[in-house]
Amino acid sequence: VQLQASGGGLVQAGGSLRLSCAASGRTFSGYTVGWFRQTPGKEREFVAGIKWSGGSTYYADSVKGRFTISRESAKNLVNLQMNSLRLEDTAVYSCAASRTIIQSSIGMPSAYAYWGQGTLVTVSS
């Protein structure tokens, strides 16, 4: 599975952005898809995840109520709608996917087999 993340950019604090993760080679059916972010010198951080089959969603506490992860079946996309962006949301955001991830591992980068390249989100004051 090849993943392609898109939608990053520069936005003012309080603004919104929508990231998309597209898969080529196969559909997301049966996969868990996660969004992670990373800033220089820090470890990769889980942001949100979704089980394609069933649609269960999972969020880091830091983004609950502000970010929404969703699936767009017709286009085989996983979107991350980011609202009320804060300076501390600035990071490179990457999507990842894997099959058969148990719920307790959804937030662990090591649980994901496939990764896309990152897209930079910069939140300015």
Side-chain angles (χ1 to χ4, degrees):
V1 179
Q2 291 184 321
L3 304 178
Q4 179 81 29
S6 62
L10 175 64
V11 63
Q12 285 191 323
S16 299
L17 276 177
R18 189 175 79 161
L19 306 183
S20 293
C21 180
S24 60
R26 62 175 61 225
T27 69
F28 278 128
S29 178
Y31 281 76
T32 295
V33 180
W35 282 98
F36 292 79
R37 64 188 182 187
Q38 191 169 24
T39 54
K42 291 189 176 181
E43 292 188 354
R44 189 171 277 167
E45 176 190 19
F46 172 74
V47 176
I50 186 167
K51 287 189 177 288
W52 187 270
S53 302
S56 297
T57 57
Y58 309 85
Y59 297 94
D61 288 342
S62 58
V63 306
K64 279 180 182 176
R66 300 189 298 123
F67 291 11
T68 302
I69 189 170
S70 63
R71 58 188 175 175
E72 198 172 342
S73 300
K75 296 182 179 180
N76 200 39
L77 293 176
V78 171
N79 298 316
L80 183 68
Q81 178 67 41
M82 305 186 296
N83 298 329
S84 302
L85 282 161
R86 304 169 180 169
L87 297 179
E88 56 264 37
D89 294 319
T90 295
V92 174
Y93 286 71
S94 301
C95 60
S98 198
R99 298 179 70 91
T100 62
I101 297 179
I102 61 175
Q103 184 171 332
S104 60
S105 297
I106 285 177
M108 300 172 58
S110 60
Y112 293 81
Y114 306 101
W115 288 83
Q117 92 297 345
T119 185
L120 177 62
V121 172
T122 303
V123 183
S124 64
S125 59

